[in-house]
Amino acid sequence: TLPFDTCVMDTTPTYVNIPFPAQYVANEPPKRKGVQVKKKYKPVVMKTKPVASHVSEDFRIERQVIGNPLATIPPLNPNPPPFVPTKRFTSERQAKLVSDHDTGFLTSDKINILVDMVAKQEKAFAWEDSE
């Protein structure tokens, strides 16, 4: 064994990982026995700061919307006709749509308008992978 005065002691701070009990209130330090040694996570000098710069043309997103995309949507009819099954929007799918949206949030008139809109735009919806 070496004498005590020849030993080198490690004085670097370390984190102590102790589970935090639920009974402690936030902003109140826990009452634990022993010594805890912690250091700052990161000094303010090393804080990341945003820098204004220009984005290269290779990474720039340009959107070119030609025309009005809403121009081809048929207008909603406030008094829709009764439901007529179509090739893709069948009676079973209409019943499923109504049962899913009949939670009390929409009135029956609004649900009828929804069914009419889905029937008019049936090609925009896919109920199966083959569609």
Side-chain angles (χ1 to χ4, degrees):
T1 62
L2 295 173
F4 182 74
D5 58 347
T6 61
C7 294
V8 178
M9 297 185 66
D10 185 16
T11 58
T12 58
T14 58
Y15 290 103
V16 178
N17 189 7
I18 300 174
F20 193 73
Q23 70 261 22
Y24 292 117
V25 181
N27 300 329
E28 180 181 331
K31 298 172 185 167
R32 294 189 185 118
K33 295 179 183 177
V35 177
Q36 291 182 352
V37 179
K38 293 186 179 181
K39 67 176 185 177
K40 286 185 177 181
Y41 171 69
K42 180 172 32 175
V44 176
V45 175
M46 299 198 51
K47 181 179 176 183
T48 306
K49 297 174 186 144
V51 178
S53 65
H54 295 285
V55 179
S56 173
E57 293 293 328
D58 297 337
F59 300 105
R60 191 166 291 173
I61 298 172
E62 294 181 10
R63 295 177 180 87
Q64 297 177 354
V65 180
I66 299 171
N68 183 4
L70 301 177
T72 58
I73 295 179
L76 292 177
N77 185 357
N79 300 313
F83 173 70
V84 177
T86 59
K87 181 180 177 185
R88 293 179 66 180
F89 190 44
T90 61
S91 298
E92 295 83 21
R93 292 175 177 170
Q94 184 262 353
K96 175 90 168 94
L97 180 73
V98 169
S99 66
D100 288 347
H101 290 88
D102 194 15
T103 59
F105 180 72
L106 296 175
T107 62
S108 61
D109 294 335
K110 303 282 184 184
I111 292 175
N112 290 338
I113 293 171
L114 173 68
V115 168
D116 184 50
M117 187 269 309
V118 171
K120 287 179 181 177
Q121 296 287 323
E122 68 175 350
K123 291 183 181 176
F125 298 96
W127 285 274
E128 299 172 352
D129 291 337
S130 62
E131 296 176 340

